[in-house]
Amino acid sequence: MRKSIATVSVSGTLPEKLTAIAAAGFDGFELFENDLVACPLSPEDIRRMAADLGLRVELYQPFRDFEAVPADRLAANLRRAEHKFRLMNRLGADLLLVCSNVSPQAIDDDALAAEQLRVLAERAAEHGIRIAYEALAWGRHVDDYLRSWRIVRMAGHPALGVCLDSFHILSKGTDPGGIEAIPGEKIFFLQLADAPRLTMDTLQWSRHYRCFPGQGDFDLAGFTQHVRNAGYRGPLSLEVFNDVFRRSDPVRTAADAMLSLRFLEDGTAPELTDFAYVELATGPDGDRLRRLVEVLGFDRARLVEGGDAAELRAVGIATPDPLAADAHVAALSAPAHVPDGTRVVFCPAGPGDSTIDHVALTAPFAEASLWCRCVLGLRPHESLELPDPYGLVRSRAMTGAGGRVMVALNMADTPSSVPWQHVAVACDDVVDMARRLTAAGEPPLRIPGNYYDDLDARFPGAPDLRGTGVLYDRADDGEFLHLYTATIGRVFFEVVQRIGGYSGYGAANTPVRLAAQHGHKMRPE
Amino acid sequence: MRKSIATVSVSGTLPEKLTAIAAAGFDGFELFENDLVACPLSPEDIRRMAADLGLRVELYQPFRDFEAVPADRLAANLRRAEHKFRLMNRLGADLLLVCSNVSPQAIDDDALAAEQLRVLAERAAEHGIRIAYEALAWGRHVDDYLRSWRIVRMAGHPALGVCLDSFHILSKGTDPGGIEAIPGEKIFFLQLADAPRLTMDTLQWSRHYRCFPGQGDFDLAGFTQHVRNAGYRGPLSLEVFNDVFRRSDPVRTAADAMLSLRFLEDGTAPELTDFAYVELATGPDGDRLRRLVEVLGFDRARLVEGGDAAELRAVGIATPDPLAADAHVAALSAPAHVPDGTRVVFCPAGPGDSTIDHVALTAPFAEASLWCRCVLGLRPHESLELPDPYGLVRSRAMTGAGGRVMVALNMADTPSSVPWQHVAVACDDVVDMARRLTAAGEPPLRIPGNYYDDLDARFPGAPDLRGTGVLYDRADDGEFLHLYTATIGRVFFEVVQRIGGYSGYGAANTPVRLAAQHGHKMRPE
């Protein structure tokens, strides 16, 4: 299917947007009116620029508050439409998005809406233009795709069809199954946007939190399948706006957009059985890292001399078919590294289970979770907000199907963040490990006595861990003990002990850990 | 009244927070448990530090999910409480905040809640501690202050009272008038937070959008008056958390917090009759600025040689009593400048009305609006979000009682913002002014032809302004024509013509203006 994106979805001036959209490999775009109005290029220049970039103007949008109005208003609205038709002819655009009326003057009368849309379509057709009518989730009367389709069917004009937008449908919890009852040729356009599940005003939710398929909580694959089953043959077009994309590099945003669409079309994911190894650059701390790894008994670390500071360079992930996994990455045209720069290498499983419990990365949240979802097929867990002394850290675990591959993504919204990656190593007795680390001159991160007082209050019967540097969590599914090593360069280790079926990563303790790491950074050792 | 603030309201480690709170002149603080737990200082050390800083521990908070539970759970909860009582004795804290139970296990039984809170109060009293019971807006059963007060009255224990929190009451739209029926001595604590009116999940609203009195939309003055009328004699305590404060300088946040409380207590504002003048540093552009001011016929500019770039330095505001206005600023201990550095000078009115229509400042939004509200008594209008090519600009007009003093605050959420201050000068014929500026070699900011095409479509009968650089807006109350000069250093002028009663500032045109300014910046002149 052709791939398209709305110009409002990426940052910059209109020429910057189009250049980024073309570079990402899109076939076309939706031209957002405000982008045109603010652009010094004439419509003819924009048309030429798009053609030179190999981009088709799939849609001009939006045209608002047209239908179901009193007769005198209709004349003014048609005058407005004629302006747009002439403009679209200059642009070489032949499809206009008409959003359902949100004005208090709109009349609750489907027959009237249909009749006025029929007139509009008739006028449009004279200019070689078609109308795609969309039910906004906050439309005054028409706020549901079945109703917009009923009106379109009632109007019965070949130049009038519906536009379906996943956000407007899924945000209301409407069953998208009914889409299959619409003849494919009457679905003139398909707009896709994912979003996190939030309880808030739908208009604000839409304006600030839309995201690319795979970044949110909606079932975009299922939604798109319904539209394909209906026989739709137009483009998949992303209409996404949020506060982050508005200020991000348009080239990166457009590349992410394309990745999300390719994943949506493909839908497969490699089978991941386990972590295989982590590769760490040693920076100037080779000796210290080697000693630490030895004390930890951690046999899955590959230390590579070099770099300006110790850091995580690559993660090896075991899969039954590394070649197929590489082909999956190639098919998505995705980079072979997480957006924080950590390379991922697919390889056959080594002997036995690895002791890598999870890997924590600090990376732009939306980008990194999209990459992990599309490339690794990891599923996101709930997103958490964890305070550190100087801001909020957003944290989200993503796990593979078997549960053996877990990546924790962290993104600090603070001027003095703790941008440290870490590798969590499993062990059977973390208290003993704390002793061994201390004996080896690498004591665990020191945890305040107040934390242990609070632990006593919260968890009757919790082990007495005071002075060990070991943190504790308890949930319905089990217990979790963990400690942190000092930070070496840009990386540190966590040692974790799971008891019972505890499936989390001790997020409740993260604020205490972050505060301790800040304190440690500020005090000379 | 004593003034207090919760440690969660400012950024940093606990010692950093306390230092900032003391520096701002607070009498005490609420100790937020998480701040204690993450702090390496012992409770005794914290007590000493607070005493050394002259701060009283007004409240320890929060204690959760205590009341209205099955009998077996009560024992565990009392054990938890005993831990806190011992801790509070070490801290020298004698008031514990108990939030209404949010757990699904809580039983909907006020008599049971009262009985269990009575037991808790009895135990607390043995440690010299009192309990302040607060109805959370999202409490499982108790979510309303009248109900929490009913339970407290039913319990009838001298060590048990209510805590009132303005957010929990005003966010639900509850009438705070009933507070006056509570005996003042049974109101053990008062937490104040303002918030913008948002339609969203109350818990998320509370966690991310609370702000200081005067920064939001709640009537905090009226609320506080009810509590004072009830006879409350405890401290005014701010419990505010939002994503911005978490990452801001704690010293500035605490100073703003104190300003908001002083304003809340004082409540007066100077009478502002008009702008009197603006003072501009010329930087290296003295000649150009003088010429521009002459062409504009703008007689209220005071140009001062110096500075590295032309910029707005000060705004003179006319008031019948400049000395009283200065005394107001002194009483608030407020700085004499807006947080962007622009000084405000109160002075007697000059002859005739000034031609200063409004002044636009780029400043941290919450800080600047608080300053304008408290120091100048300006009232905020609706906050707008205006896209520029590289992000969102938040914009808000604030006007004085007579309507003659209008400040537009802008804050760009973008990496490449347009941080330019500007002065809007009123005139009777902005199109003629455009001609004169062009003739003088200072043509207005060039506006794209696409904008004028769109204007034709939107406003039948709008004047033909193509090629003039003049923008246009129309609202129910009138019409607005305006143009922008080139930017000189860090400042530019707007020339505005109001027709009819138009009361806005052309915000609908801001995205086009911002895009044009970006384009101008990038192209050599």
Side-chain angles (χ1 to χ4, degrees):
Chain A
M1 297 174 88
R2 295 200 307 282
K3 293 183 187 62
S4 162
I5 185 169
T7 54
V8 69
S9 308
V10 295
S11 176
T13 61
L14 186 56
E16 287 168 341
K17 288 168 190 257
L18 295 184
T19 305
I21 289 168
F26 281 92
D27 306 295
F29 62 96
E30 305 176 28
L31 182 53
F32 180 58
E33 181 160 279
N34 296 27
D35 287 326
L36 171 83
V37 167
C39 178
L41 296 182
S42 72
E44 291 78 6
D45 286 342
I46 293 167
R47 177 187 199 151
R48 251 188 308 274
M49 181 175 184
D52 290 347
L53 289 167
L55 293 173
R56 176 177 167 146
V57 192
E58 298 279 7
L59 181 82
Y60 184 81
Q61 63 121 317
F63 191 70
R64 297 188 193 277
D65 297 341
F66 172 80
E67 83 289 9
V69 294
D72 58 331
R73 192 148 200 105
L74 178 64
N77 286 352
L78 284 171
R79 173 189 172 281
R80 201 154 51 92
E82 289 289 346
H83 264 89
K84 299 306 163 192
F85 296 154
R86 287 195 298 273
L87 172 67
M88 289 173 66
N89 284 160
R90 295 171 67 193
L91 285 163
D94 62 6
L95 186 61
L96 176 66
L97 178 73
V98 173
C99 306
S100 60
N101 202 323
V102 301
S103 150
Q105 279 102 51
I107 300 165
D108 189 4
D109 180 342
D110 287 358
L112 182 66
E115 170 53 23
Q116 295 183 343
L117 284 168
R118 197 197 54 74
V119 173
L120 181 70
E122 185 62 31
R123 301 279 186 97
E126 289 165 15
H127 294 82
I129 286 170
R130 298 185 308 150
I131 304 291
Y133 179 55
E134 173 184 58
L136 298 179
W138 51 88
R140 183 77 178 179
H141 303 296
V142 179
D143 59 1
D144 167 331
Y145 75 93
L146 290 171
R147 188 159 175 191
S148 59
W149 162 233
R150 207 155 56 227
I151 291 170
V152 164
R153 200 176 43 192
M154 215 183 284
H157 195 286
L160 180 67
V162 292
C163 170
L164 301 176
D165 179 304
S166 61
F167 181 89
H168 289 295
I169 295 169
L170 300 176
S171 65
K172 292 176 71 93
T174 316
D175 175 8
I179 292 172
E180 300 198 17
I182 307 175
E185 68 278 8
K186 293 304 276 184
I187 303 175
F188 280 9
F189 208 70
L190 172 61
Q191 293 178 316
L192 296 172
D194 201 347
R197 280 261 163 237
L198 295 171
T199 308
M200 65 186 300
D201 177 69
T202 311
L203 177 59
Q204 293 302 320
W205 185 17
S206 173
R207 283 209 181 140
H208 299 287
Y209 296 96
R210 284 183 177 225
C211 55
F212 296 136
Q215 288 180 325
D217 297 323
F218 291 160
D219 175 15
L220 267 291
F223 180 87
T224 307
Q225 196 54 53
H226 288 307
V227 183
R228 294 172 85 154
N229 290 350
Y232 174 70
R233 293 289 171 268
L236 299 176
S237 191
L238 294 166
E239 194 200 21
V240 167
F241 15 84
N242 67 50
D243 297 357
V244 177
F245 292 174
R246 282 190 188 281
R247 57 174 187 255
S248 301
D249 173 8
V251 173
R252 290 189 76 153
T253 306
D256 274 357
M258 183 50 87
L259 175 61
S260 78
L261 280 188
R262 289 202 177 110
F263 177 66
L264 189 67
E265 268 199 317
D266 172 317
T268 65
E271 187 189 338
L272 309 180
T273 47
D274 197 356
F275 283 111
Y277 65 88
V278 292
E279 181 184 307
L280 300 161
T282 61
D285 294 306
D287 290 345
R288 190 170 170 204
L289 267 178
R290 266 184 295 275
R291 199 174 59 232
L292 191 55
V293 161
E294 199 186 308
V295 179
L296 293 172
F298 181 44
D299 60 356
R300 299 299 179 117
R302 298 186 182 177
L303 302 186
V304 181
E305 297 292 328
D308 65 327
E311 66 177 358
L312 182 63
R313 281 279 176 84
V315 175
I317 298 185
T319 165
D321 192 346
L323 287 180
D326 288 339
H328 171 73
V329 178
L332 293 173
S333 299
H337 52 81
V338 192
D340 73 335
T342 306
R343 252 184 318 121
V344 168
V345 180
F346 297 106
C347 55
D353 288 347
S354 96
T355 51
I356 301 173
D357 184 89
H358 64 278
V359 170
L361 303 175
T362 303
F365 216 65
E367 280 179 62
S369 63
L370 181 70
W371 192 93
C372 290
R373 179 91 181 259
C374 298
V375 176
L376 302 180
L378 304 185
R379 286 267 153 191
H381 296 239
E382 195 190 356
S383 175
L384 304 173
E385 288 165 345
L386 307 168
D388 99 343
Y390 306 101
L392 273 187
V393 175
R394 281 166 220 276
S395 184
R396 174 171 236 177
M398 300 196 66
T399 51
R404 291 284 307 148
V405 172
M406 180 194 279
V407 174
L409 296 175
N410 299 305
M411 183 73 201
D413 176 25
T414 139
S416 76
S417 57
V418 185
W420 300 316
Q421 310 148 316
H422 79 261
V423 179
V425 180
C427 89
D428 294 332
D429 187 343
V430 73
V431 174
D432 181 59
M433 180 64 83
R435 252 179 248 123
R436 283 194 281 151
L437 283 165
T438 304
E442 287 285 356
L445 184 71
R446 196 201 293 228
I447 301 301
N450 296 332
Y451 169 81
Y452 294 103
D453 285 347
D454 184 60
L455 215 53
D456 278 351
R458 284 194 293 145
F459 298 121
D464 180 8
L465 298 167
R466 198 175 299 262
T468 61
V470 175
L471 297 140
Y472 178 80
D473 192 28
R474 186 187 285 174
D476 290 342
D477 54 2
E479 293 168 282
F480 190 62
L481 292 90
H482 56 144
L483 64 77
Y484 296 88
T485 70
T487 301
I488 302 176
R490 287 190 281 269
V491 72
F492 61 90
F493 293 94
E494 180 180 0
V495 183
V496 312
Q497 177 184 354
R498 293 178 186 274
I499 299 174
Y502 185 95
S503 60
Y505 55 115
N509 293 323
T510 302
V512 173
R513 186 258 291 180
L514 289 168
Q517 287 180 321
H518 275 294
H520 204 255
K521 216 172 43 161
M522 285 179 296
R523 277 197 306 271
E525 290 179 46
Chain B
M1 297 174 87
R2 295 201 307 281
K3 293 184 186 63
S4 161
I5 186 169
T7 54
V8 69
S9 308
V10 295
S11 176
T13 61
L14 186 54
E16 288 168 342
K17 288 168 189 256
L18 295 185
T19 305
I21 289 168
F26 281 93
D27 306 295
F29 62 96
E30 305 175 29
L31 181 53
F32 180 57
E33 179 159 282
N34 295 26
D35 287 326
L36 171 83
V37 168
C39 178
L41 297 182
S42 71
E44 290 78 7
D45 286 341
I46 293 168
R47 176 186 200 152
R48 251 187 308 273
M49 182 176 184
D52 290 348
L53 289 167
L55 293 173
R56 175 177 167 145
V57 192
E58 296 280 8
L59 181 82
Y60 184 82
Q61 63 122 316
F63 191 71
R64 296 187 194 279
D65 298 341
F66 172 81
E67 85 288 9
V69 295
D72 58 331
R73 192 149 200 104
L74 177 64
N77 286 352
L78 284 170
R79 173 188 172 281
R80 203 155 48 91
E82 289 288 347
H83 264 89
K84 298 305 161 192
F85 296 153
R86 285 195 299 274
L87 172 65
M88 288 172 66
N89 285 160
R90 294 172 67 193
L91 285 164
D94 62 7
L95 186 60
L96 175 66
L97 178 74
V98 174
C99 307
S100 61
N101 203 323
V102 301
S103 150
Q105 278 103 52
I107 300 164
D108 190 5
D109 181 342
D110 287 358
L112 182 66
E115 170 53 23
Q116 294 183 346
L117 284 169
R118 197 197 54 74
V119 172
L120 181 69
E122 185 61 31
R123 301 280 186 98
E126 288 163 17
H127 294 81
I129 287 169
R130 298 185 311 150
I131 303 292
Y133 180 55
E134 172 184 58
L136 298 178
W138 51 88
R140 183 78 177 179
H141 303 295
V142 179
D143 58 2
D144 168 331
Y145 76 93
L146 290 172
R147 188 160 175 189
S148 58
W149 161 233
R150 207 155 55 227
I151 290 169
V152 163
R153 199 177 43 192
M154 213 184 286
H157 195 285
L160 180 68
V162 293
C163 170
L164 301 176
D165 178 304
S166 62
F167 182 88
H168 289 295
I169 295 170
L170 300 175
S171 66
K172 294 176 70 93
T174 316
D175 175 9
I179 290 172
E180 302 198 17
I182 306 176
E185 70 278 7
K186 293 304 276 183
I187 302 175
F188 280 10
F189 208 69
L190 172 61
Q191 293 179 315
L192 296 172
D194 200 346
R197 281 260 162 239
L198 296 171
T199 308
M200 66 186 300
D201 177 70
T202 310
L203 177 58
Q204 294 302 319
W205 186 15
S206 173
R207 283 209 180 141
H208 298 287
Y209 296 96
R210 284 183 177 225
C211 55
F212 296 136
Q215 288 180 325
D217 297 324
F218 291 160
D219 175 15
L220 267 291
F223 179 86
T224 306
Q225 195 54 53
H226 288 306
V227 183
R228 293 171 87 154
N229 291 350
Y232 174 70
R233 294 288 170 267
L236 299 175
S237 190
L238 294 166
E239 194 200 20
V240 166
F241 15 86
N242 67 49
D243 296 357
V244 176
F245 292 174
R246 282 190 187 281
R247 56 174 187 255
S248 301
D249 174 7
V251 173
R252 290 188 76 153
T253 307
D256 275 356
M258 182 50 86
L259 175 60
S260 78
L261 279 189
R262 289 201 177 112
F263 178 65
L264 189 68
E265 268 199 317
D266 173 317
T268 67
E271 188 188 336
L272 309 180
T273 47
D274 196 357
F275 283 111
Y277 65 88
V278 291
E279 179 184 308
L280 299 160
T282 61
D285 294 306
D287 290 346
R288 191 172 170 201
L289 268 178
R290 265 184 296 274
R291 199 175 61 233
L292 191 55
V293 161
E294 200 187 307
V295 178
L296 293 172
F298 180 45
D299 60 357
R300 300 297 180 119
R302 298 186 182 176
L303 301 186
V304 181
E305 297 293 327
D308 65 327
E311 66 177 359
L312 182 64
R313 281 279 175 84
V315 176
I317 298 186
T319 166
D321 191 346
L323 287 180
D326 288 339
H328 172 72
V329 178
L332 293 173
S333 299
H337 52 81
V338 193
D340 73 335
T342 305
R343 253 184 317 121
V344 168
V345 180
F346 297 106
C347 54
D353 287 349
S354 97
T355 53
I356 301 172
D357 184 89
H358 65 276
V359 171
L361 304 175
T362 303
F365 217 65
E367 279 179 63
S369 63
L370 181 70
W371 192 93
C372 290
R373 179 92 181 258
C374 298
V375 177
L376 303 181
L378 304 185
R379 287 266 153 194
H381 296 241
E382 195 189 357
S383 174
L384 304 172
E385 287 165 345
L386 307 168
D388 100 343
Y390 305 102
L392 274 187
V393 174
R394 282 167 220 275
S395 184
R396 173 171 237 178
M398 301 196 65
T399 51
R404 290 285 307 149
V405 173
M406 180 195 278
V407 174
L409 297 175
N410 299 305
M411 183 72 200
D413 176 25
T414 139
S416 76
S417 57
V418 184
W420 301 316
Q421 308 149 315
H422 79 262
V423 178
V425 180
C427 90
D428 293 332
D429 187 344
V430 73
V431 173
D432 180 58
M433 180 63 84
R435 252 179 249 121
R436 284 194 280 151
L437 283 165
T438 304
E442 286 285 356
L445 183 71
R446 195 200 294 229
I447 302 300
N450 297 331
Y451 168 81
Y452 295 102
D453 285 347
D454 184 59
L455 215 53
D456 279 349
R458 283 193 292 145
F459 299 121
D464 181 8
L465 299 167
R466 197 174 300 262
T468 61
V470 175
L471 296 140
Y472 179 81
D473 193 27
R474 185 187 288 173
D476 291 341
D477 54 3
E479 292 169 282
F480 190 62
L481 290 91
H482 55 144
L483 65 76
Y484 296 88
T485 69
T487 302
I488 302 177
R490 287 189 281 271
V491 72
F492 60 91
F493 294 94
E494 181 179 0
V495 183
V496 313
Q497 178 184 354
R498 293 177 185 274
I499 300 175
Y502 185 95
S503 60
Y505 55 115
N509 293 322
T510 302
V512 173
R513 185 258 291 181
L514 289 169
Q517 288 180 319
H518 275 294
H520 204 255
K521 216 173 42 160
M522 285 180 297
R523 277 198 307 272
E525 294 180 40

